Structure formats: C-alpha cells, structure tokens
Amino acid sequence: MLYSPSPSPSRQTPTRSIILLAVAGFASQAQVRVMDSLLPQVAADLHTTVGAAAMVVTAYAITHGSIQLIIGPVGDRFGKYRTVAFACVIGTILVAICGMVSTLPQLALARLATGAAAGWVIPISMAYVGDVTPVRPPAADPGALPLGTDPRPAVRPAAGGVLGDLLGWRNVYFVLAGMFALAAAGLVFELAVNPQTRKSSQSTARLGLVADYAAVLSNPFARIVIVAAFFEGALAWGAFAYIGADLHLRFGLTYTLVGITVGCFGIGG
C-alpha cells in the first residue's frame, strides 16, 4: 500500500528515535566545516603554513564523501539504527584523538578516519526515517522536522571560531567528541528499549551494489548531478576553507569574528 490515511499503531511516527538521529546528525555534520575558522590557529600550533594545515580539511572531505558509496548495503545488513549508533561510538573516539595529536600528519590521519566514521550518519538516518514513517507528504510528518530544520551551515564555523578563541582548537575537538558521545548514548539507549530500531532491512529487491550504481549511472540526468556536485565540492567548498584564514591574517579578525563572518554563509539555508 502506497498511502494510508489512517496508519496502524505500528506505523505511527517514532518521534523519539528520529530526534535522537537528529542529534547524531548534528554531531556528525558539526565536524565538516568547523576547521574553516581555525586553520591559522592549527598552523601556528603545529608550526606549519595555512596551506599545509588545510590538508586536515581535505582529508576529512575525501572519506566523508567517498564512504557513502558503500554504506547502504552495510546499513541494510546490520540494521540502520544500529549502524548509526556504532558510527557515533567510533566517531567519539576518533574526534577525541584529533585533539590529542602532536603533528600535522597525525591530525590529517585522524581527520581522514573521522570522516569515514561521520559520513555514515546522515544518509543512513534518512533511510531509517523513510523505513519507519508512514508514506505521506513530508510536511505532514512532525517526526521529520528535526532532520529538516538544519542550522548547521551557520552554526559550525561560528561555533568553531568562538570555541577556538575561548578554548583553543584542541579543546574544540573535545567538545565535538562530547557531542558525539551524547548522541551515541541516546542511540544505544533507544536500541535497548525500542525493538523497532533493532530490525534489519526486509527489502529483497536490491540488485547488488554494482548493479545499483550501474542503474543510477545509466540515467543521463543523474550523471549531470554527480558531475556538478563534484565540481561544486572541489571548487566552491575547497576555496571556502581559506576564507577564515584570509580574514584572520589579512584583517586581524579574532577567531570569533571569523567564525561569525563565515557562518553568515549558512543564513541562506
């Protein structure tokens, strides 16, 4: 049945489990642009240039994006909610390690691993929401609101700048690790008390990983979207990482003001 005006109790929106996924999503995406405001601080502390320090942004972006090519079958096999919870536990450890490293290569490797862990959270959470909510217009589904209300593009760089001024860039990572830990604790609790979150996918219609991607790539419009997204990430988001450094080095802005300025980018969202 594609639409049911009166869903059964088992198909009522599981609001609490979705809210916890929203917390996990915020913790995951907080990692993405938080370093944009702090690259000069990282460079000074690790005795390198801003250009070299930017490898921590690149390392994160590579694995955060590419890991999403394989996460679908894993989420189906082990259960989407369980997979997100595990990713948050691993993410907590890896983000904390980012704050404890002593060299730039170590930080880049830690960020590379963090991207691989955090990249699971949003896509699998969205798939879980699709599995457990009744099929009806999204605007009518109050359980989807936490995932749809997204202040992260403005909050991430602003928070990074403020916390960097107050605590230093290393402690920013410890704060982010605490966010991941909070999300992980909530998800593990929900797994323990809500049997629905422990279910694996019941779908039997999958063609296999290679066949699925071949089906997508056979669509000309899908290829256009993929190519456009690649160039957007390489050009727009790549250059974006240096805006904070330029504002700090050329105009002497504090990290707080840098973060707030860069965070204005997210107002449009």
Side-chain angles (χ1 to χ4, degrees):
M1 181 181 296
L2 294 179
Y3 176 74
S4 174
S6 300
S8 65
S10 63
R11 290 290 288 166
Q12 295 294 334
T13 302
T15 303
R16 185 179 64 191
S17 67
I18 294 176
I19 290 174
L20 290 171
L21 287 176
V23 175
F26 191 96
S28 166
Q29 293 300 96
Q31 321 292 327
V32 176
R33 310 302 313 184
V34 72
M35 281 292 99
D36 290 352
S37 307
L38 299 177
L39 282 181
Q41 199 176 72
V42 173
D45 187 49
L46 298 181
H47 309 292
T48 187
T49 65
V50 170
M55 73 168 62
V56 304
V57 177
T58 305
Y60 184 93
I62 288 172
T63 51
H64 185 91
S66 61
I67 196 68
Q68 297 180 41
L69 295 171
I70 65 170
I71 63 179
V74 177
D76 286 342
R77 172 64 179 83
F78 296 101
K80 296 179 178 68
Y81 214 88
R82 184 182 292 111
T83 301
V84 174
F86 181 74
C88 287
V89 171
I90 298 300
T92 300
I93 298 170
L94 293 174
V95 176
I97 290 174
C98 288
M100 295 185 288
V101 298
S102 57
T103 67
L104 183 61
Q106 290 174 356
L107 179 58
L109 286 173
R111 287 283 286 173
L112 193 77
T114 301
W120 295 72
V121 176
I122 294 292
I124 296 183
S125 295
M126 294 174 67
Y128 174 84
V129 171
D131 286 348
V132 301
T133 54
V135 179
R136 56 185 177 182
D141 188 352
L145 181 61
L147 289 178
T149 305
D150 190 357
R152 295 167 301 182
V155 170
R156 290 180 305 220
V162 173
L163 293 176
D165 260 342
L166 293 176
L167 306 174
W169 71 269
R170 293 182 183 276
N171 287 321
V172 170
Y173 279 118
F174 296 137
V175 171
L176 294 176
M179 292 172 58
F180 249 141
L182 179 65
L187 294 174
V188 170
F189 171 81
E190 189 70 8
L191 279 167
V193 302
N194 184 351
Q196 189 177 31
T197 62
R198 299 193 292 271
K199 295 179 180 178
S200 299
S201 174
Q202 300 301 312
S203 174
T204 59
R206 295 190 62 85
L207 302 174
L209 183 62
V210 175
D212 283 343
Y213 281 111
V216 172
L217 293 174
S218 67
N219 185 317
F221 185 71
R223 294 196 295 270
I224 293 173
V225 171
I226 292 169
V227 171
F230 174 82
F231 281 107
E232 181 200 18
L235 300 176
W237 289 101
F240 196 74
Y242 292 100
I243 294 176
D246 185 60
L247 291 172
H248 176 74
L249 297 175
R250 188 147 60 100
F251 298 107
L253 297 187
T254 65
Y255 294 111
T256 297
L257 289 176
V258 167
I260 293 172
T261 303
V262 175
C264 288
F265 175 82
I267 294 177

